[in-house]
Amino acid sequence: MANKNLIEEINELKKKKNAVIVAHNYQIPEVQDIADFTGDSLELSKKCKGVKEKIIVFCGVKFMAETAKILSPEKKVLIPKENAGCQLADSIKPEEVDEYREKYPNAAVVGYVNTSAATKAKLDYCVTSANAVNIVKKIPNKEIIFLPDKNLGLWVQKNVKDKEIIIHNGRCYVHHKFTKEDVINARVAHPDAKIVVHPECLSEVTELADEVASTSGMIKYVKESSAKKFIIGTEEGHIHRLKKERPDAEFYSLGNAQICFNMKLIKLKDVYDSLLNEKYEIILPDDIITKAILPIERMLNLS
Ligand code: 13P
Ligand code: SF4
């Protein structure tokens, strides 16, 4: 099927099945363009809470689709590729949260949204890259266990001085590849550009950037900036979205363009098949949903 026909078929099926398509900012351009809504993890979570449609087709990775299911358990949540995982989310197991709690009984356990539903069920608070600093500031405990991303944890520690943050040693292999040398070289090659990076990048990178932000924070920054050139330190798919928001500006990847292969698995044909066959449905045990909703709701209430 040619892309044009496929898009028409998807739109027809979407209406017939009473479905909504949401896509993360790292999805391939065709999938971003077919979506009813694109955003970062926090925006997508909020969006999925209030949707009126019966089916949510989630174009992203599994922990994001699980978050949508936790927030809208009465909806059918589909992910077009069953194997779209996140190595960072896989770097923490639920049992490890119990071990942290035993070791630090007075600490609040704060987990990045990039965690499985079973791990979320063990958290006190969930955060995203967009709100981690603000949420941790508002938590009454002095001691915080932050998991699983080390770089985001270090970013939080830098910005929240009056708390002790115990940080798990997870990392995103995509953001970990940006280096200090990439920033130094970019400054020389493009002295008139602003350098904007994700907080999952190494501290040596965030320290030298003009702005550190989640993918939605980056959109806000470039929309409000008078600069005409931006160097972006995050997964390369986000540049498609940024170009749409600022068609007059130039965008370059920091160093080599970095790709999250899991974010690139979903193609238009998979979205079509997903709608047609109502697959792959996210199924979570009731007790996990009941427990995992609590840290997410605490986040949504505080953010
Ligand atoms: P955002 O919350 O900024 O969209 O990031 C999600 C993610 O997976 C980053 O790698
Ligand atoms: Fe996970 Fe990194 Fe891919 Fe985001 S970019 S989904 S954190 S592996």
Side-chain angles (χ1 to χ4, degrees):
M1 224 185 294
N3 263 5
K4 191 167 169 276
N5 288 348
L6 199 49
I7 291 167
E8 280 166 15
E9 295 279 345
I10 289 171
N11 283 328
E12 238 168 71
L13 259 180
K14 200 175 69 177
K15 261 191 235 150
K16 201 167 117 191
K17 299 239 175 180
N18 190 16
V20 63
I21 301 174
V22 300
H24 188 265
N25 290 325
Y26 297 159
Q27 290 288 293
I28 62 167
E30 298 90 306
V31 169
Q32 288 194 34
D33 294 345
I34 189 79
D36 298 290
F37 188 80
T38 46
D40 74 350
S41 309
L42 179 61
E43 290 173 322
L44 295 176
S45 315
K46 284 182 174 165
K47 185 76 190 166
C48 289
K49 194 165 189 240
V51 295
K52 56 183 188 329
E53 288 83 358
K54 271 183 17 210
I55 297 179
I56 300 171
V57 180
F58 206 110
C59 301
V61 290
K62 199 160 175 193
F63 77 81
M64 296 179 177
E66 284 185 349
T67 307
K69 181 69 186 173
I70 294 163
L71 285 164
S72 294
E74 71 292 356
K75 310 276 175 193
K76 188 177 254 192
V77 178
L78 306 173
I79 184 161
K81 280 279 182 179
E82 207 175 14
N83 56 340
C86 165
Q87 291 182 359
L88 174 59
D90 292 343
S91 72
I92 180 94
K93 300 274 167 282
E95 311 78 71
E96 290 176 275
V97 180
D98 296 334
E99 288 163 22
Y100 274 120
R101 277 199 196 279
E102 239 172 76
K103 209 164 159 200
Y104 303 97
N106 298 320
V109 183
V110 178
Y112 195 20
V113 69
N114 297 44
T115 43
S116 68
T119 296
K120 279 196 185 72
K122 302 256 178 185
L123 303 176
D124 294 318
Y125 298 86
C126 180
V127 295
T128 72
S129 54
N131 62 24
V133 169
N134 283 337
I135 302 262
V136 171
K137 275 184 186 166
K138 289 178 187 168
I139 294 173
N141 307 51
K142 282 269 171 240
E143 246 182 5
I144 304 283
I145 292 155
F146 191 94
L147 53 92
D149 189 47
K150 183 176 174 186
N151 294 328
L152 182 60
L154 290 171
W155 174 246
V156 171
Q157 179 72 90
K158 190 178 172 210
N159 287 283
V160 187
K161 296 271 189 272
D162 63 336
K163 293 191 195 286
E164 193 198 332
I165 321 265
I166 299 124
I167 306 172
H168 187 71
N169 197 18
R171 63 171 198 179
C172 161
Y173 77 99
V174 181
H175 289 87
H176 212 76
K177 287 182 190 152
F178 297 112
T179 62
K180 178 169 135 191
E181 287 67 40
D182 289 337
V183 184
I184 295 166
N185 293 341
R187 289 257 183 244
V188 174
H190 304 280
D192 51 339
K194 292 288 183 197
I195 300 182
V196 190
V197 305
H198 198 277
E200 285 175 20
C201 293
L202 289 161
S203 301
E204 63 177 43
V205 173
T206 54
E207 269 160 22
L208 297 178
D210 295 304
E211 179 71 359
V212 180
S214 72
T215 54
S216 66
M218 289 183 182
I219 294 169
K220 188 168 179 287
Y221 179 82
V222 305
K223 277 169 96 174
E224 288 170 3
S225 169
S226 56
K228 295 269 183 215
K229 213 189 251 189
F230 299 92
I231 312 287
I232 304 297
T234 193
E235 209 278 344
E236 62 88 43
H238 193 38
I239 290 184
H240 176 70
R241 176 76 198 273
L242 292 168
K243 277 185 180 158
K244 274 187 171 175
E245 303 288 344
R246 277 288 308 272
D248 62 310
E250 283 174 47
F251 292 91
Y252 300 93
S253 276
L254 178 64
N256 294 324
Q258 301 299 347
I259 293 175
C260 171
F261 70 89
N262 278 308
M263 279 285 185
K264 306 303 183 201
L265 291 175
I266 299 171
K267 310 285 187 269
L268 273 187
K269 178 73 167 63
D270 303 309
V271 180
Y272 173 79
D273 289 342
S274 174
L275 271 167
L276 184 70
N277 303 312
E278 299 190 13
K279 65 177 192 184
Y280 294 93
E281 187 175 357
I282 300 288
I283 307 275
L284 294 172
D286 287 347
D287 66 315
I288 293 288
I289 293 183
T290 313
K291 288 179 188 154
I293 187 105
L294 300 173
I296 301 172
E297 277 184 349
R298 281 186 203 119
M299 166 183 82
L300 294 175
N301 292 337
L302 286 179
S303 64

